[in-house]
Amino acid sequence: MDNLTHRVRRGRYRRRWIATVLLVGVPAIVVPSLVFAQEDTPAATADGSADNQLTSVRSGKVIDGNGSSTADGTRIQQRKLVKSAQPQAAGSGPYRWKNAQVVGGGYVTGLVFNPREKGLLYARTDMGGAYRWDVAAEQWIPLTDWLGEKDWNLLGIDSVATDPVDPERLYLAAGTYTNEWAGNGALLRSTNRGRTFKRTPLPFKLGANEDGRGAGERLAINPKDNGTLLLGTRKNGLWRSTDRGVTWRQVASFPVKDGASSGVGISFVTYDPKNSKTIYVGVADKSASLYRSTDGGSTWQAVPGQPTGQMPQHGVLSGNGSLYLTYTDVVGPNGVTAGSVWKYTPASGAWKNVSPSQGGYGFSGLAVDPRKPSTVMVTTLDRWWPDDEIYRSTDGGAHWKALADKSKRNASGAPYVGTDTGHWMTALAIDPFNSGHVLYGTGSGIWRSKDANASDSGGTSHWTVGARGLEETAVLDAIAPPGGATVISSMGDLGGFRYGSSGSLAKVPAGRLKNPMMVTSTDIDFAQSKPSVMVRVGRGAEQDGAYSTDGGSSWKGFKSEPVGSADSGQVALSADGSAIVWTEEGQAPYRSTDKGASWSKVSGLGTGAVVIADRSSARTFYSLSGGTLYASTDGGATFTARAGNLPTGRLTTVPGIAGDLWIAGSDKGLLHSTDGGRNFATLKSVQSSSALGFGKAKPGTGYQALYLIGTVKDATGVFRSTDKGVTWLRVNDKAHQWGAIGAVGVITGDPDTYARVYIGTNGRGLQYGDPS
C-alpha cells in the first residue's frame, strides 16, 4: 500500500497505534532441508463466500465450485457427499463474508500470466495477499484470507510463480518484513491454483512491504524441469528447490549472498524459456547488477558490458532472445530520480540504451509480448509531473509511443482513483494469448485495457479500472451509527469512505471523505444520542480534524488544533455531541466545546492517554491509561482515578447504558464493569481478547450483542455473544481470518441489523459478515 510503514494500526474506540504487538506468532528458524507441509483452508470464492455447493441429482454428490467463477459455464468438480444442514434460527448459522467495496486501494506489486493456459492470471500485493483472476466474472478472487493472526506476516507476497508446464501449480513467496520482530518467510505451494496451499517455512525473512517490492519476479520455475525453482532473496542470496518447493538450499556458487550494496539483494530471476540452462539474475547493486549462468546455475558470471550506476527493476527475455531491463537509481518505489531502459543481445554481447525518454524519474514496469517478440512496453516510476507514462514499442525499442495522451480512461469502477495513469506503476503484463489485453498495477489498484495495441496503428486505447474483487486497504477505525449511514471507515492512505445504506456496501462509493480529504484518517466517532454529529482526525490535509452534522455526508475542518505541530491520534465525542476530546499523536488530551474552534488541555491525564465517551451520559468520559481507569463527569475537562491494577487493553462503552464498560485485556481476558469503572469482573468464558464491539440486540433480549476478536475454548477468531458474554458463537471460519485483525482491533456490530458485524483488517479492507 501507499506510504504506510507499519501496516498494522489501532482500531475502534480510541486507543494507541500498534507496532510491536506483531511479535505474536514469530516462527522458529528452520534448516533448509526441513519439510513442513500443511494443508490449509480453501480460498474464498469471487463473491467472498467460502464454498458454493450444488448437489448432483444423478450422483448424489456435492458439486463444488469453490474458488471458481459463479458465472455461467464455470468448470465444476465433484466432491464428497455432504449432509444437509437442518434449518437454523436467525443469526445462528455460518456467516457469509464480503468486502465493503473500495476496489483496489493499495499497491499491486506484481501481475503474472500463466504462459500455457489462457486467462490464468495472478496478482500479488505488498501486504494484502495474492489473488487469481476470474475471467468470466472479470474480477479477482482472494487466495490468502485463510492466513490468521499468527501468520499475519505471510500476507505480504514477495513473489508469484505459476507453473508453465502444469497450470494447476502455483507458488507464493510470502513474507512482509525482514525486521527482527517479523517472522521468517514461507513458500506457499498449491496444486489447485490457490484453492488450498501447503507450506514450507523458509530459514530467512522476505520483505514484500519494503523498499524494492515493485521489482521481480524473484521466484522462477524452470520451464524444462518444473520441479526446480529458484528464489532470490533480500538478505540471503539465491536459493534452489528441486522438489517443487518442499525443501530449499542456498545456491552456494551465486556471488551475492547478502543484501548487496542496496540492502535489497536480488530483484529478479529469469529463465531462458528456450534454453533453461541459461538463467539471468538481477541484483540491486550499482556496480555489478546482472549475473548469468549457462549451466543451469552451477556457475555464475557478471554479464560483460552491463550498465553501471543504476539498479535493475525487471528483466524479461523476448522470444527472439533479447533481454530487456528497466533501471532506477534507487530501489523505489519512492525517491527515484533517474533511470533507463536497456536491451541486451546475448548472441553478440551488445548492450543498447533504448530509453524512451529521460528526466528526473526511472523506469520499472516491463513486459514483452509473447506473440510478438519485438513488442515491448515499459512504465516510468516517480515521474510526479505531469504524470507517470506508459511507453510501447513494436520494433524492439528503436521507437516508442507514449500511451497516456492516446488513451481514454474510465474510472467508474473506482471513482476515487481519478483518470490519471496512476503512480508506483511497477507491475506490467501482456496477455500471452491476446496482444491487446494489458494490465498494470499502481499504488491504488490496477488499470486494464483490451485494446492496448490500438496505438500500433495510430488508434486510441481504452482503459478501465481492473481491480474489482481486489481489496487492499488498512482500516484504522469504523463506526456504525444507529439510524444513519450503515458504516463509515477511517483508513490509511485513502482517508475513509461512507456507505450510506446497506445496499451501498456492495457498491463503490463515489469518493473519499473530503473537506478535508485526509491522506490517512486515524480515528472517527459519533454522538450516540445525536448520531448525525461526527468527528474524525488524521493527517495529510489542510486540517487534521473535522466534524459533520449530517451523518458524514459533508464535513468541515476544525478551525484550530490543540498542538500546531501534531496530528492524527484518537478522538472522542460526547453522547450529545457537545464536547470533543482529542489526543493527538504524542500529546496530552485536549478538549473543545465549539467544534474545534478552540482547545483547552484536559486536567488529570498524561501524554498519550486515550479517551472515550460514555454512550449514554453526555457529561461522562473515561480513559484507561497505565493500568488505571480514569473518569470525567464534567464533559471531559477534568479526570480522576477510579480503579487501578487493570490490564492494558481496549476500553469500550455500551450504547444506551450509562457506566457500562468493557476492557478487552489481551491475555488477561475480557473485563466488565456496570458501575462506571469502579469495579470490574473478569469473564471466565474468554481466554484472551483483542477488541470488543456492540450491535443490535438479539430479538427477545434487552442487551447489545457483543462481538469479540479473541480466544474462546482454545479457538482464536471472531465471536458473538447474546447473553453478556456467558456463551460465544464463532462467526468466522478457517477460510476467513485476514491476518492481524486482533492487532488492528477494529470491530463493531450493526445497530440496526441484528447479527451483522464489521471487521477492519490490515490489508484486506473492511469485511462485513451476515449469517448465510
Side-chain angles (χ1 to χ4, degrees):
M1 283 190 65
D2 260 7
N3 300 328
L4 280 182
T5 302
H6 297 298
R7 304 296 180 199
V8 173
R9 295 293 190 254
R10 39 130 340 262
R12 175 124 162 74
Y13 293 111
R14 277 67 50 200
R15 55 208 166 257
R16 278 185 292 234
W17 289 22
I18 294 171
T20 55
V21 177
L22 302 179
L23 289 166
V24 174
V26 175
I29 295 178
V30 297
V31 296
S33 59
L34 181 62
V35 179
F36 175 69
Q38 175 179 320
E39 191 74 32
D40 282 300
T41 309
T45 53
D47 63 3
S49 62
D51 288 298
N52 295 323
Q53 294 185 336
L54 302 171
T55 302
S56 169
V57 175
R58 180 170 297 179
S59 68
K61 294 181 178 180
V62 163
I63 299 172
D64 182 1
N66 175 58
S68 299
S69 169
T70 57
D72 293 341
T74 297
R75 182 175 62 84
I76 54 181
Q77 297 175 327
Q78 285 193 339
R79 298 273 179 97
K80 64 184 180 181
L81 182 65
V82 205
K83 195 173 193 178
S84 298
Q86 296 299 315
Q88 295 171 308
S92 62
Y95 267 53
R96 183 182 183 90
W97 293 95
K98 297 181 180 180
N99 268 107
Q101 293 291 292
V102 169
V103 177
Y107 187 14
V108 177
T109 50
L111 293 161
V112 179
F113 277 101
N114 184 281
R116 182 168 182 175
E117 180 166 324
K118 185 177 182 180
L120 186 55
L121 168 66
Y122 297 94
R124 63 176 166 96
T125 65
D126 56 356
M127 37 75 75
Y131 295 78
R132 185 179 69 248
W133 180 246
D134 184 331
V135 175
E138 292 197 328
Q139 67 181 47
W140 294 93
I141 300 168
L143 302 181
T144 44
D145 283 355
W146 53 270
L147 289 164
E149 197 83 32
K150 66 183 178 65
D151 292 320
W152 67 267
N153 190 50
L154 301 184
L155 271 176
I157 308 301
D158 212 22
S159 193
V160 173
T162 172
D163 197 317
V165 179
D166 180 2
E168 292 293 321
R169 293 185 181 274
L170 168 69
Y171 302 91
L172 306 177
T176 311
Y177 298 107
T178 60
N179 303 71
E180 183 180 353
W181 43 259
N184 284 351
L187 194 285
L188 306 180
R189 43 198 171 86
S190 173
T191 57
N192 53 18
R193 307 173 190 229
R195 292 178 179 88
T196 59
F197 287 90
K198 292 182 179 180
R199 179 186 337 193
T200 299
L202 298 172
F204 45 77
K205 301 174 188 292
L206 299 176
N209 193 33
E210 296 182 347
D211 286 348
R213 59 195 183 274
E217 293 293 322
R218 296 175 171 89
L219 181 63
I221 302 170
N222 188 326
K224 302 300 182 183
D225 174 15
N226 67 328
T228 297
L229 289 73
L230 287 174
L231 173 61
T233 72
R234 308 261 180 154
K235 312 286 186 182
N236 302 89
L238 184 66
W239 289 68
R240 177 190 288 116
S241 172
T242 57
D243 55 9
R244 293 187 169 90
V246 176
T247 61
W248 292 83
R249 293 188 183 278
Q250 190 176 41
V251 179
S253 60
F254 191 73
V256 180
K257 295 179 177 62
D258 54 18
S261 63
S262 66
V264 176
I266 293 171
S267 56
F268 70 83
V269 180
T270 299
Y271 275 96
D272 187 331
K274 294 183 178 180
N275 178 12
S276 63
K277 294 287 186 180
T278 298
I279 312 164
Y280 292 91
V281 175
V283 177
D285 188 280
K286 292 185 178 183
S287 298
S289 63
L290 184 66
Y291 292 87
R292 176 176 57 191
S293 174
T294 56
D295 54 12
S298 296
T299 61
W300 298 85
Q301 299 81 33
V303 178
Q306 62 180 279
T308 58
Q310 295 179 353
M311 297 175 284
Q313 290 264 321
H314 296 269
V316 179
L317 278 160
S318 72
N320 60 19
S322 297
L323 177 67
Y324 293 89
L325 301 104
T326 51
Y327 288 85
T328 53
D329 61 338
V330 297
V331 294
N334 264 333
V336 176
T337 59
S340 54
V341 182
W342 286 79
K343 178 181 180 180
Y344 172 63
T345 306
S348 65
W351 285 87
K352 184 178 181 181
N353 188 331
V354 293
S355 304
S357 62
Q358 62 181 6
Y361 50 87
F363 293 88
S364 181
L366 171 65
V368 179
D369 189 340
R371 302 168 65 89
K372 299 179 179 180
S374 294
T375 296
V376 186
M377 296 181 70
V378 299
T379 66
T380 60
L381 181 59
D382 292 352
R383 195 180 89 164
W384 299 112
W385 188 90
D387 284 311
D388 271 305
E389 182 62 89
I390 312 164
Y391 291 100
R392 182 177 172 91
S393 172
T394 57
D395 55 10
H399 304 87
W400 298 88
K401 290 183 179 179
L403 300 191
D405 289 339
K406 295 292 184 180
S407 63
K408 291 185 178 180
R409 296 176 172 268
N410 181 351
S412 60
Y416 71 92
V417 303
T419 55
D420 294 338
T421 54
H423 69 291
W424 290 8
M425 297 156 54
T426 54
L428 177 65
I430 300 175
D431 191 331
F433 295 89
N434 179 358
S435 297
H437 185 205
V438 175
L439 303 93
Y440 69 88
T442 75
S444 298
I446 298 171
W447 281 96
R448 177 173 176 242
S449 175
K450 297 180 181 180
D451 62 356
N453 55 354
S455 62
D456 298 350
S457 56
T460 299
S461 59
H462 299 79
W463 299 79
T464 58
V465 174
R468 184 173 173 236
L470 191 154
E471 297 284 347
E472 194 204 2
T473 52
V475 181
L476 308 185
D477 202 0
I479 58 170
T486 297
V487 66
I488 303 175
S489 63
S490 283
M491 289 182 171
D493 296 340
L494 297 179
F497 295 87
R498 179 184 188 273
Y499 300 88
S501 64
S502 183
S504 69
L505 291 166
K507 300 177 182 178
V508 182
R512 297 157 51 187
L513 300 180
K514 59 183 181 180
N515 298 325
M517 186 178 288
M518 301 173 189
V519 172
T520 289
S521 177
T522 55
D523 208 22
I524 187 169
D525 197 13
F526 68 93
Q528 188 69 44
S529 61
K530 294 182 179 179
S532 61
V533 180
M534 301 175 177
V535 291
R536 59 185 170 99
V537 297
R539 63 177 180 272
E542 187 174 345
Q543 296 97 7
D544 296 319
Y547 70 91
S548 173
T549 58
D550 58 7
S553 294
S554 64
W555 297 83
K556 291 183 179 180
F558 295 157
K559 292 182 179 180
S560 68
E561 294 186 23
V563 181
S565 60
D567 56 34
S568 304
Q570 296 81 45
V571 67
L573 186 61
S574 64
D576 64 356
S578 62
I580 305 167
V581 180
W582 183 7
T583 305
E584 291 182 295
E585 191 69 19
Q587 305 297 320
Y590 281 76
R591 172 178 178 262
S592 175
T593 56
D594 53 12
K595 298 178 180 178
S598 62
W599 299 87
S600 59
K601 192 173 183 178
V602 167
S603 175
L605 294 177
T607 299
V610 178
V611 175
I612 67 169
D614 190 287
R615 310 306 289 184
S616 179
S617 175
R619 299 282 292 170
T620 304
F621 288 83
Y622 306 98
S623 178
L624 179 62
S625 181
T628 299
L629 190 286
Y630 298 86
S632 169
T633 57
D634 58 3
T638 59
F639 283 77
T640 57
R642 278 192 178 174
N645 299 316
L646 294 170
T648 299
R650 293 184 170 106
L651 179 68
T652 55
T653 54
V654 178
I657 305 176
D660 197 316
L661 284 69
W662 294 79
I663 297 174
S666 189
D667 60 351
K668 301 299 182 182
L670 187 63
L671 290 77
H672 186 205
S673 172
T674 57
D675 59 3
R678 295 173 178 85
N679 299 280
F680 282 89
T682 302
L683 273 68
K684 296 181 180 180
S685 59
V686 176
Q687 292 165 269
S688 67
S689 60
S690 299
L692 185 74
F694 310 100
K696 184 177 181 179
K698 179 182 179 180
T701 68
Y703 194 84
Q704 294 267 306
L706 307 181
Y707 295 93
L708 172 76
I709 301 175
T711 302
V712 176
K713 294 183 178 178
D714 296 324
T716 299
V718 182
F719 300 85
R720 187 187 74 224
S721 175
T722 57
D723 54 12
K724 297 186 180 180
V726 176
T727 60
W728 297 89
L729 171 71
R730 186 177 179 185
V731 297
N732 74 323
D733 52 48
K734 290 183 178 180
H736 301 89
Q737 301 194 77
W738 315 290
I741 58 172
V744 176
V746 177
I747 185 167
T748 180
D750 192 297
D752 302 319
T753 303
Y754 167 65
R756 173 175 289 175
V757 59
Y758 304 94
I759 298 172
T761 74
N762 185 48
R764 279 290 289 123
L766 181 65
Q767 301 282 338
Y768 68 99
D770 291 297
S772 60

